[in-house]
Amino acid sequence: QKEVEQNSGPLSVPEGAIASLNCTYSDRGSQSFFWYRQYSGKSPELIMFIYSNGDKEDGRFTAQLNKASQYVSLLIRDSQPSDSATYLCAASGSSNTGKLIFGQGTTLQVKP
Amino acid sequence: DGGITQSPKYLFRKEGQNVTLSCEQNLNHDAMYWYRQDPGQGLRLIYYSQIVNDFQKGDIAEGYSVSREKKESFPLTVTSAQKNPTAFYLCASSRRGGPDETQYFGPGTRLLVL
């Protein structure tokens, strides 16, 4: 069974700090990786996707991918209380179907 | 506005009853997906469809059925064979069904058993 693993948390950081969220995946054939944010009771919304090794930055968010270590991370700079949510990591399957494998999510709490 | 709509927002099912969850998109996306989310858990794939009139089982298809007669619509039926249906059901779509395609989610339907 292909898996995506995340620490469920909660991860607690003070306002203005950097939050670091981590994810590992088991399928070496996974090509694409996605980070979604999910507020309590709401549906997931896309934050970022990354396909290539290295870093990808978008505003306060940076996604990092290391395919050799099968590791994906999301950094949130200048964390705000509004960033408090569950962050879901997803990896594409190695088949060409568009199937995504989701981790269980990490709950982030940003304290004012 | 383009987007994905799901209805109803809340749905109550009685024992032995089949219920159907609606999912509609006007994004002109080819691929559509149904996921189930249990409290504190990630999303698990129920069914997906990459093209009209074709669909495939996901990881937890037992007790569910779908149809894809129109590009815009991908309804999910929760049958009486699904013994533990209480969950948050999420519909998603992507432009195509490839591994590099971003999936966008509807607002979800919360199903509760009476």
Side-chain angles (χ1 to χ4, degrees), chain A residues 43-107:
Chain A
S43 63
E45 54 181 330
L46 180 73
I47 298 175
M48 292 187 70
F49 58 84
I50 186 167
Y51 307 144
S52 304
N53 273 329
D55 295 358
K56 179 181 179 183
E57 186 174 319
D58 183 1
R60 296 187 295 115
F61 300 95
T62 299
Q64 299 174 318
L65 174 59
N66 183 326
K67 290 186 177 181
S69 300
Q70 295 177 246
Y71 178 89
V72 192
S73 66
L74 180 70
L75 301 178
I76 307 174
R77 290 182 299 280
D78 188 23
S79 296
Q80 301 297 310
S82 59
D83 294 326
S84 298
T86 296
Y87 289 80
L88 300 170
C89 172
S92 66
S94 51
S95 62
N96 195 33
T97 62
K99 290 175 63 176
L100 291 180
I101 305 163
F102 282 83
Q104 72 270 37
T106 297
T107 298

Side-chain angles (χ1 to χ4, degrees), chain A residues 1 31-32 34 36 38 41-46 49 51 88 92-93 95-100 102-105, chain B residues 33 35 37 40-43 45 48 50 57 59 88 90 97-108 110:
Chain A
Q1 177 77 347
Q31 302 174 39
S32 309
F34 303 84
Y36 288 88
Q38 186 176 27
K42 302 297 184 181
S43 63
E45 54 181 330
L46 180 73
F49 58 84
Y51 307 144
L88 300 170
S92 66
S95 62
N96 195 33
T97 62
K99 290 175 63 176
L100 291 180
F102 282 83
Q104 72 270 37
Chain B
Y33 310 81
Y35 292 91
Q37 187 175 35
Q41 302 295 315
L43 279 62
L45 183 64
Y48 64 102
Q50 294 181 281
K57 293 181 179 180
D59 300 319
F88 189 37
L90 290 157
D100 57 348
E101 293 290 337
T102 298
Q103 293 184 22
Y104 298 93
F105 286 86
R110 203 166 294 277

Side-chain angles (χ1 to χ4, degrees), chain B residues 5-84:
Chain B
T5 58
Q6 290 186 244
S7 62
K9 186 174 182 179
Y10 295 97
L11 185 58
F12 299 92
R13 193 191 91 163
K14 296 180 181 178
E15 292 288 338
Q17 187 181 37
N18 292 353
V19 293
T20 297
L21 285 61
S22 170
C23 177
E24 304 276 334
Q25 54 96 2
N26 61 3
L27 300 169
N28 199 32
H29 285 177
D30 286 334
M32 298 185 75
Y33 310 81
W34 273 107
Y35 292 91
R36 168 180 172 144
Q37 187 175 35
D38 294 282
Q41 302 295 315
L43 279 62
R44 291 185 290 168
L45 183 64
I46 305 172
Y47 268 98
Y48 64 102
S49 169
Q50 294 181 281
I51 197 168
V52 175
N53 292 321
D54 189 40
F55 50 84
Q56 288 78 39
K57 293 181 179 180
D59 300 319
I60 56 166
E62 185 174 352
Y64 300 97
S65 66
V66 294
S67 63
R68 186 84 188 276
E69 298 176 1
K70 298 187 301 181
K71 187 175 184 177
E72 303 79 16
S73 178
F74 191 40
L76 173 74
T77 296
V78 183
T79 75
S80 57
Q82 173 50 243
K83 298 306 179 187
N84 185 23

